[in-house]
Amino acid sequence: MTSDLISQLTSGALTSVALTERCLALIAQRDGAIGAFLHVDREDALKQAAEVDARRGRGEALGPLAGIPIAIKDVLCQTGQPTTCASRMLKSFVPPYDAHAVTKLKQAGAVLLGRANMDEFAMGSSCENSAYKVTRNPWNLDRTPGGSSGGSAAAVAGGMTPLSLGTDTGGSIRQPASFCGVVGMKPTYGRVSRYGLVAYASSLDQIGPFAPDVFGAAALLEAIEGHDPRDSTSVNRPAQGYTKTLEQPLAGLRVGVVREHFVEGLDADVAGATRQAIDVYKSLGATVVDISLPHSKYCIAAYYLIASCEASSNLARYDGVHYGHRAANFDGMIDMYAASRGEGFGEEVKRRIMLGTFALSSGYYEAYYLKALKVRRLIRQDFDKAFEQVDLIVSPVSPTPAFPLGSLTTDPLAMYLMDIYTISANLAGLPGISIPCGFSSDGLPIGLQLQAPPFEEERLLRAARMYEKATSWTRLAPTPAA
Amino acid sequence: MSDELTPDVVRRVARLSRLKLDEPQVAKLANELSKVLHYVDQLNELDVSNVEPMAHAIELTNVFRADDPRPSLPREAALSNAPRSDGKYFLVPPILDEK
């Protein structure tokens, strides 16, 4: 577990080089089958590890994650390392600067291990939209690891890295965490600076941790959060010190269960595991309150309009001029844009750019984009009302466990519907976490989602830890594939 | 609010999006996007006439910082990913008639 790893490194029982070598060996052994990584720079990782060991040897003060290898979703800029967003568009892009979260990890002493696969530009729920490779679920290689941060989740679940970073725009951390049986957390919008995060939908995107346990998620969030003037939506709030209070259970906890969540389409195993988890909270002294989020059913429609509109605007920057793919053959400037973008973007990205451009175009803006923004407020108001009655909302993460690879790729709408339980946290700007809560009858992990009011990450993590301590799900790992 | 998304509308939106699509792609997108638009039509069930739009989860306004000059990317780094460059500038095809 993460805290043991940190104490072994601190005490000198384990060197960072030995730990990093172990990760690299496991990547060499397992990642051919899993496909979690797009790029691993062995030499660079070992160099970072050796530096930490040397500094520790000299008795220097080290950061909280000193010597811990961390995989980075390929959407966060890292100086000198390819940052492709799993897109042909950015095939040869090597950023000249670090994302804020990457800078913070370097300051914390982490070893940046490699670049994790994802759905292209973070658009997708299965990792099948990557232009480079499909990532497979370490629990069952015929299943998806989820997406879009599927590589980050699979890398932790497959034991190839102790921790990883992902991003969550509509569930892209929580859903793969649930599919892969690890802990994944989306912080409150604004908690982590998005500087250097390649933008998909700017009002929804948020960076967050993957870990095998709640402590790891808390430690990683602690390392990357904080105000950054380079992202004007990053909030200036004092750090809460999650790892310090993690072991303190919450007394008098009121847990909300959403009436609208237990409906048709929810897998029986997932519903059962969620119900059992609610019983665990009851046995820990929590009061369970039946609540309603009346606008839940409109989340997906509002989300796909808002996210696609923002994406169509954000992805306008890929013009074949400053960086990214430029077509070899074209007829004039405008055609160069269109040809480069036509060749560089994959199908799902094109679909969302098209939907967004349409919904923002003259004559349709009010009917689609503006209406979605109004519904967004209704969704937020539902949560504000619910949180007058409860401290946390407990729900499924995804309506089903990890689905078979290829099963939803021909039906974009069916794929979108997989995000029904996670999307509202992005629209409302809430923190949410997925923690393992059981297995389906065919042996696939199931995740439990906890959501809290904005900026109540401390409450969220303490509540997650209460559950983790009372159960044993996070101590399980898949039998190594291959 | 939504009609079927015709291939003509798809071609117009593709032009606005600066996306070159071939005819099979146009047909496929017309079909897929029509389905998505049909799905999002459910938002019409709601009366939102008195609701303020919510563009951001945290409704911050006017975040200012001091206008202090800071070092910018060196030219070489800024040009390092350019598809075409002469070492000083980004190179683009001519945009004015050369005649």
Side-chain angles (χ1 to χ4, degrees), chain A residues 196-207:
Chain A
L197 161 63
V198 178
Y200 157 25
S202 304
S203 82
L204 305 162
D205 295 340
Q206 187 59 199
I207 301 163

Side-chain angles (χ1 to χ4, degrees), chain A residues 405-436:
Chain A
L405 286 163
S407 63
L408 296 179
T409 41
T410 53
D411 188 350
L413 195 55
M415 188 77 92
Y416 297 172
L417 295 175
M418 298 305 286
D419 302 333
I420 185 143
Y421 298 113
T422 47
I423 266 174
S424 51
N426 301 80
L427 290 170
L430 313 176
I433 192 167
S434 173
I435 49 175

Side-chain angles (χ1 to χ4, degrees), chain A residues 332-354:
Chain A
M333 186 75 179
I334 301 290
D335 192 54
M336 185 202 82
Y337 294 150
S340 301
R341 292 163 62 80
E343 292 171 11
F345 292 136
E347 268 190 43
E348 183 59 31
V349 174
K350 284 179 188 159
R351 207 147 36 222
R352 294 196 196 184
I353 290 174
M354 291 288 290

Side-chain angles (χ1 to χ4, degrees), chain B:
Chain B
M1 54 196 175
S2 85
D3 331 85
E4 288 294 293
L5 211 60
T6 62
D8 272 348
V9 177
V10 170
R11 282 186 210 102
R12 183 177 65 85
V13 174
R15 265 198 309 281
L16 290 173
S17 305
R18 301 284 187 262
L19 281 176
K20 190 175 266 185
L21 303 175
D22 57 27
E23 278 308 303
Q25 283 177 313
V26 168
K28 193 163 179 246
L29 277 167
N31 175 35
E32 287 168 348
L33 292 177
S34 292
K35 279 189 201 153
V36 173
L37 289 178
H38 179 72
Y39 177 81
V40 303
D41 265 352
Q42 61 175 289
L43 297 185
N44 287 331
E45 295 163 17
L46 296 168
D47 176 11
V48 291
S49 45
N50 293 315
V51 182
E52 279 295 302
M54 181 176 160
H56 253 261
I58 303 168
E59 296 178 278
L60 300 162
T61 44
N62 296 343
V63 176
F64 295 119
R65 58 170 167 74
D67 187 19
D68 298 327
R70 281 169 302 161
S72 51
L73 273 186
R75 182 190 293 251
E76 196 188 328
L79 290 170
S80 63
N81 285 289
R84 282 201 66 201
S85 158
D86 62 359
K88 279 187 187 161
Y89 301 104
F90 296 99
L91 295 185
V92 295
I95 51 170
L96 295 174
D97 214 333
E98 285 172 291
K99 272 173 270 177

Side-chain angles (χ1 to χ4, degrees), chain A residues 221-241:
Chain A
L221 177 58
E222 230 165 61
I224 59 171
E225 70 167 25
H227 182 239
D228 170 21
R230 297 173 299 183
D231 172 3
S232 61
T233 64
S234 127
V235 294
N236 200 348
R237 285 180 170 242
Q240 289 183 317

Side-chain angles (χ1 to χ4, degrees), chain A residues 299-373:
Chain A
C299 286
I300 292 181
Y303 171 85
Y304 276 94
L305 286 171
I306 293 169
S308 299
C309 287
E310 294 185 14
S312 74
S313 168
N314 274 326
L315 272 62
R317 71 191 60 181
Y318 302 102
D319 57 1
V321 174
H322 300 97
Y323 50 88
H325 177 75
R326 181 188 289 194
N329 301 306
F330 50 82
D331 179 21
M333 186 75 179
I334 301 290
D335 192 54
M336 185 202 82
Y337 294 150
S340 301
R341 292 163 62 80
E343 292 171 11
F345 292 136
E347 268 190 43
E348 183 59 31
V349 174
K350 284 179 188 159
R351 207 147 36 222
R352 294 196 196 184
I353 290 174
M354 291 288 290
L355 177 62
T357 306
F358 175 75
L360 288 172
S361 65
S362 174
Y364 296 98
Y365 172 87
E366 289 190 5
Y368 290 109
Y369 180 62
L370 203 61
K371 175 158 277 172
L373 290 184

